[in-house]
Amino acid sequence: MTRVRTTPGRLRALWGAALLALLAACATVPPPAAPPSSASASPFNATDSAWIQLMIPMNEQLLPALALAPPPLAAFAAELDASHRAELGRLKRLRERAGLPEDNVHAGHQMPGLVSEADLAGLRMDPSGLPAKLREHLDQSASLARGEQESGADPETRELAASIAAARAGQLARLEEVSP
């Protein structure tokens, strides 16, 4: 019998792919509000929809945590804030194009990489936990982006996922440089 060796990175990737598959299976995708304006419009599949609906709250809920960055992390937190806000603009345009509702279907959920109100309360009391929370967010959002690249159907959504996966790799490396 051959044993497959499982590394922490592989486990995170598998967890991310499984989470994205589960979310895709549970996603409710209403029909678009209006028919596509051109024949070149790309269809969205359940993975695209689930990814968009998860990445928006992941990015939105990270922003208040970034404001709590202690001085050694302040410049890096400002970089993350700018990049995540830019991603949010693109994600929200994709959500609109896909005809997805604006409500947060993940409100109140506890998931890796998703900053909760409890996480924020803890970081307000002790911001030294921010590097670990950032690492978790960056790892998980990179894993989800790879899942979108592999299983998504919409080219623009997959392109954004590729961009986010690449950005997260650089952000993780930078976090290691600036993290105490």
Side-chain angles (χ1 to χ4, degrees), residues 17-29 45-51 53-54 106 148 151:
L19 179 62
L20 195 56
L22 177 64
L23 292 171
C26 296
T28 57
V29 182
N45 67 13
T47 299
D48 296 321
S49 298
W51 184 74
Q53 289 180 307
L54 180 56
H106 299 288
E148 165 59 25
S151 302

Side-chain angles (χ1 to χ4, degrees), residues 28-70:
T28 57
V29 182
S37 59
S38 72
S40 64
S42 300
F44 289 85
N45 67 13
T47 299
D48 296 321
S49 298
W51 184 74
I52 292 165
Q53 289 180 307
L54 180 56
M55 288 301 295
I56 290 173
M58 281 187 74
N59 280 12
E60 285 177 338
Q61 291 174 212
L62 180 70
L63 298 177
L66 295 173
L68 303 172

